Amino acid sequence: QVQLVESGGGLVQAGGSLRLSCKASGRTVSNLPMGWFRQAPGKEREFVAGIDYMESRYADSVKGRFTISRDNAKNTVSLQMNSLKPEDTAVYYCALKSRGMSVAVSDVQYDDWGQGTQVTVSA
């Protein structure tokens, strides 16, 4: 069974940057669809970014500011977050989609999840 462990969250001022990493163990995830989601207090979990063998996809709210990438040698997917805003504050989760080859924006299509890492952006 795959385990996903996020790291890299923290507290940052608006306009700053953070880099989140998601390390997979127990299974090679290279070229499998993986996504980053986030959940703010009182809100539903939402898609942030995803990557598969062919493309990367982003939520409109983060396009041009966030970049998702993967390092197959390290079995890791990362999320570089620049120009952070207070509204980016949330718990960020990485997820693995084991069925199919394409990224999905719906969280119900993902099978395995990390424990989450807190990102807090102060004004």
Side-chain angles (χ1 to χ4, degrees):
Q1 184 175 351
V2 65
Q3 288 188 322
L4 303 175
V5 178
E6 302 98 334
S7 61
L11 172 64
V12 65
Q13 289 187 330
S17 299
L18 283 174
R19 185 177 181 85
L20 305 183
S21 291
C22 175
K23 171 72 173 175
S25 60
R27 180 180 181 181
T28 298
V29 298
S30 58
N31 297 325
L32 289 176
M34 293 195 69
W36 284 97
F37 290 76
R38 66 187 182 188
Q39 187 167 22
K43 295 187 177 181
E44 293 187 351
R45 187 162 54 189
E46 64 175 357
F47 174 81
V48 175
I51 187 167
D52 59 33
Y53 73 102
M54 190 170 61
E55 65 174 357
S56 301
R57 294 178 66 179
Y58 298 91
D60 288 343
S61 59
V62 306
K63 278 181 183 177
R65 300 189 298 123
F66 291 11
T67 303
I68 190 171
S69 62
R70 68 196 314 160
D71 184 335
N72 290 336
K74 295 182 178 179
N75 221 25
T76 298
V77 173
S78 298
L79 185 68
Q80 178 67 41
M81 306 186 295
N82 298 329
S83 302
L84 283 161
K85 305 175 181 179
E87 50 263 44
D88 294 319
T89 295
V91 177
Y92 283 70
Y93 300 89
C94 72
L96 171 66
K97 181 173 176 283
S98 298
R99 294 159 287 170
M101 297 297 292
S102 300
V103 165
V105 299
S106 172
D107 60 356
V108 300
Q109 297 195 45
Y110 290 79
D111 303 288
D112 298 283
W113 294 81
Q115 81 288 350
T117 185
Q118 176 71 46
V119 171
T120 303
V121 184
S122 62

